[in-house]
Amino acid sequence: MTARILIIEDDEAILKFLRRGLAYEGYQVDTAAEGQSGLSLALDNQYDLIVLDLMLPGIDGLEVCRRLRAGGPVPILILTAKDQVTDRIQGLDLGADDYMTKPFNLDELLARIRALLRRAQPSRPQVLRFADLSLDTGTRQASRVDRVISLTAKEYELIELFLRHPRQVLTREVIFDRVWGYDFGGESNIIEVYIRYLRQKLEADNEPRLLHTVRGMGYVLREET
């Protein structure tokens, strides 16, 4: 079945370039040039993926992203000229699944779209467990004993990665590749930021630490020693 993609982008030249490139790859493409019309299209139709600019007239892209995520699990790829790590974290925290900055390479964009569409395909739910931590991949809900832990999209992907590789040290490179699918840059601290977020949530009731730093190597999910 052909995937249906919505592009919300106010730059007419980029919009035409994307529409032509995606249509050439066989995707069904709809477009919107500002936030409100894009949001209305997204809520009134069923899309397999949305490409979203942040700096839009009317409702900005971050607000569009927040409302889209509240409405369902459609994959969202942010495409923007805003390239600060804080902007990326904010977009990902609001529920975006990937983030590319302009100028961009069309082949890379297409590769990321294919990856997001593959990840969006339903798989058989599992309950992953380690120590007193569990993660239901069907409901995307985590818990420690009976305490439910609310996770953002990226926090979920990160803890799922660790739960699928317990007691295995995961390097920064592996985490970048598996969770973000690309590198923010060698000096980026985005992994440290998300590890801190997860620790705060996992240890909110003073539970023993499960996510540990292995200095000079990476991070590991293991019991305290």
Side-chain angles (χ1 to χ4, degrees), residues 1-207:
M1 182 181 295
T2 301
R4 189 178 182 190
I5 296 175
L6 172 63
I7 305 167
I8 308 175
E9 166 65 62
D10 69 327
D11 186 308
E12 185 177 355
I14 293 177
L15 193 62
K16 288 181 178 178
F17 175 72
L18 287 173
R19 181 171 54 202
R20 185 168 56 248
L22 293 177
Y24 183 79
E25 292 296 315
Y27 298 114
Q28 288 183 266
V29 182
D30 291 338
T31 63
E34 49 90 26
Q36 184 59 63
S37 60
L39 183 61
S40 297
L41 273 173
L43 296 177
D44 292 343
N45 298 275
Q46 187 167 354
Y47 291 100
D48 297 292
L49 184 138
I50 294 173
V51 178
L52 175 65
D53 185 23
L54 287 188
M55 293 183 286
L56 295 167
I59 303 175
D60 70 19
L62 288 175
E63 179 62 15
V64 172
C65 182
R66 186 187 68 79
R67 296 192 195 182
L68 287 174
R69 184 52 68 233
V74 60
I76 300 170
L77 189 158
I78 287 177
L79 184 64
T80 181
K82 300 178 74 172
D83 62 355
Q84 295 298 310
V85 170
T86 53
D87 294 320
R88 304 181 194 199
I89 292 173
Q90 188 176 10
L92 295 169
D93 275 350
L94 286 173
D97 299 277
D98 203 348
Y99 193 116
M100 282 189 72
T101 56
K102 303 172 185 175
F104 61 91
N105 178 277
L106 181 60
D107 288 335
E108 181 185 1
L109 176 69
L110 292 171
R112 294 195 192 183
I113 286 174
R114 289 192 295 269
L116 288 174
L117 291 172
R118 284 196 302 270
R119 283 161 49 188
Q121 293 175 352
S123 58
R124 181 175 297 177
Q126 295 177 273
V127 177
L128 306 175
R129 292 186 174 88
F130 183 82
D132 61 354
L133 172 65
S134 64
L135 181 72
D136 188 321
T137 64
T139 63
R140 299 172 72 92
Q141 180 174 290
S143 60
R144 288 197 78 169
V145 189
D146 296 323
R147 181 173 67 84
V148 175
I149 302 168
S150 176
L151 300 172
T152 66
K154 284 300 172 187
E155 289 169 352
Y156 169 83
E157 291 183 39
L158 188 56
I159 196 61
E160 181 187 15
L161 175 64
F162 281 107
L163 280 165
R164 292 190 183 279
H165 300 86
R167 301 188 182 92
Q168 178 181 334
V169 177
L170 301 180
T171 65
R172 288 170 52 87
E173 290 75 15
V174 166
I175 295 170
F176 273 132
D177 180 64
R178 301 289 182 83
V179 177
W180 281 273
Y182 59 101
D183 195 336
F184 274 92
E187 301 304 314
S188 170
N189 67 340
I190 194 168
I191 292 179
E192 288 76 9
V193 169
Y194 272 87
I195 292 290
R196 184 169 71 248
Y197 289 164
L198 276 176
R199 283 174 175 164
Q200 289 170 351
K201 293 185 175 183
L202 295 178
E203 302 166 18
D205 280 357
N206 296 313
E207 293 98 336

